[in-house]
Amino acid sequence: MVNENSKKNHATDSEKNIHTDFKNNMTYGEYLKLENILSNQIRLSDHHDEMLFIIIHQTSELWMKLILHELNSAIESIQNDDLSSSFKRLARVSRIQAQIIQSWDVLSTLTPSEYIEFRDSLGQASGFQSYQYRMIEFALGYKTAHILKIYEKNQELHSKLKMAFDSPSIYDVSIQALAKAGFQINPDILSRDFTTSYKEDETVRMAWIEVYRNVEKYWDLYELAEKLVDIEDSLSTWRFRHMKTVERIIGNKVGTGGSSGVNYLKRVIDQRFFPELWDIRTEL
């Protein structure tokens, strides 16, 4: 009994400096603006499972915000010849992607019978309209001008997307890094129109082959290439899990945003961002 009391007293003493008076100090909730965050899960129906649907998509958007934060920083680092800093950013992106992929396991607990009870409440709102997802696509190099029309309702947002649309992708700046390292890259690729999706090029393919065949000499470029492959690999996994979750919940119905639903999601699974990095694996 003495020993138990001694342990309790020790525990109490060790926590005696915990702050409890916050009349003049910022709290955890205030720092994170939790009142703002937690008051925005507003159901449009009275169905229990709509809360799940809202939170999954809101948390995914928060993760995507961080992905963009890291991707844009990595692009800037590569442009400034600071490849080592970009590695940290890109590694973090891969870890974030793992979190988003796992979220589909939670959403897949929603059954077709449950979803149909509140689906009409969504109107034409759809994940297809996620502007952060489009900005991630832009940052990775997939550019589609017609997508911008979705966001004309909000001029400030449209301008933000247009700026991302016009900017070089992470693959564009990686190819520029190859040129800076002395590789002979097609000048048309280096000065290309960044508002178009990248198309594979023979000089870029040859440069990456040389990097992979001389890893020690081009270690930073090799590491950069592998980080890019990690991200594209995870994105394909995310898209596959998205497609299977949608198929599980709504089958082949048309999406709320008007897309073909599962058929559209199947088509984009095999979309490639860094084609040469995949093609050279057959040749090595």
Side-chain angles (χ1 to χ4, degrees):
M1 182 64 69
V2 174
N3 288 338
E4 288 299 319
N5 288 335
S6 176
K7 289 179 181 179
K8 289 179 181 178
N9 289 336
H10 178 72
T12 302
D13 290 342
S14 66
E15 306 298 346
K16 64 182 179 181
N17 292 322
I18 289 179
H19 296 289
T20 57
D21 183 0
F22 286 94
K23 291 177 183 177
N24 299 309
N25 295 297
M26 178 177 64
T27 65
Y28 168 83
E30 289 169 340
Y31 171 67
L32 294 177
K33 303 293 189 292
L34 286 182
E35 283 301 313
N36 294 336
I37 295 173
L38 299 179
S39 62
N40 279 296
Q41 291 72 47
I42 302 169
R43 290 180 291 170
L44 298 180
S45 72
D46 60 0
H47 198 280
H48 173 85
D49 292 316
E50 190 181 355
M51 183 64 74
L52 162 68
F53 193 82
I54 292 170
I55 289 176
I56 287 292
H57 288 85
Q58 286 185 341
T59 52
S60 292
E61 290 292 337
L62 283 172
W63 282 126
M64 283 191 276
K65 181 174 183 176
L66 186 54
I67 285 176
L68 285 167
H69 179 67
E70 301 299 340
L71 275 179
N72 290 330
S73 178
I75 289 171
E76 185 177 350
S77 294
I78 296 168
Q79 288 175 316
N80 293 331
D81 304 323
D82 182 10
L83 296 188
S84 59
S85 291
S86 75
F87 301 156
K88 174 72 173 183
R89 312 286 188 261
L90 296 176
R92 184 174 290 160
V93 168
S94 294
R95 295 296 182 92
I96 298 166
Q97 288 176 299
Q99 295 297 315
I100 298 181
I101 290 167
Q102 289 181 347
S103 71
W104 295 121
D105 292 338
V106 183
L107 187 59
S108 66
T109 64
L110 181 68
T111 69
S113 299
E114 292 161 346
Y115 181 50
I116 202 170
E117 290 292 323
F118 65 86
R119 189 181 191 230
D120 287 346
S121 300
L122 305 180
Q124 295 180 328
S126 166
F128 185 85
Q129 299 145 15
S130 168
Y131 71 85
Q132 291 197 123
Y133 177 74
R134 297 305 171 187
M135 290 177 73
I136 290 172
E137 284 189 330
F138 295 166
L140 296 179
Y142 182 66
K143 307 288 183 74
T144 47
H146 72 276
I147 288 293
L148 294 174
K149 188 172 179 60
I150 296 173
Y151 311 99
E152 288 178 349
K153 177 180 179 179
N154 184 327
Q155 278 304 308
E156 183 178 349
L157 176 56
H158 186 269
S159 297
K160 184 177 181 180
L161 278 151
K162 186 64 167 61
M163 183 178 296
F165 184 78
D166 293 340
S167 299
S169 71
I170 195 159
Y171 199 47
D172 287 316
V173 299
S174 296
I175 293 171
Q176 291 168 4
L178 288 172
K180 290 178 182 178
F183 290 99
Q184 298 301 307
I185 303 296
N186 181 355
D188 291 340
I189 293 296
L190 297 175
S191 60
R192 76 182 197 86
D193 179 3
F194 297 132
T195 66
T196 61
S197 293
Y198 175 79
K199 302 296 183 185
E200 50 199 288
D201 178 84
E202 178 66 12
T203 62
V204 175
R205 186 183 68 83
M206 293 302 296
W208 284 126
I209 286 178
E210 184 66 18
V211 167
Y212 273 78
R213 285 178 174 164
N214 294 277
V215 171
E216 292 185 7
K217 182 177 180 180
Y218 301 113
W219 176 260
D220 282 352
L221 290 168
Y222 168 74
E223 184 74 7
L224 174 60
E226 284 298 292
K227 289 288 187 291
L228 294 179
V229 169
D230 286 343
I231 288 172
E232 183 166 345
D233 193 353
S234 293
L235 185 62
S236 294
T237 302
W238 182 90
R239 284 173 160 176
F240 178 79
R241 290 295 298 124
H242 184 189
M243 181 273 293
K244 293 305 293 183
T245 302
V246 171
E247 186 176 33
R248 176 172 177 158
I249 296 172
I250 69 167
N252 288 297
K253 291 186 181 75
V254 172
T256 50
S259 74
S260 59
V262 168
N263 288 331
Y264 167 78
L265 296 174
K266 284 181 177 178
R267 286 199 305 272
V268 300
I269 288 174
D270 293 328
Q271 187 182 82
R272 302 202 304 174
F273 295 92
F274 320 128
E276 292 88 356
L277 294 180
W278 294 97
D279 290 342
I280 63 172
R281 281 159 160 73
T282 305
E283 301 180 49
L284 290 171

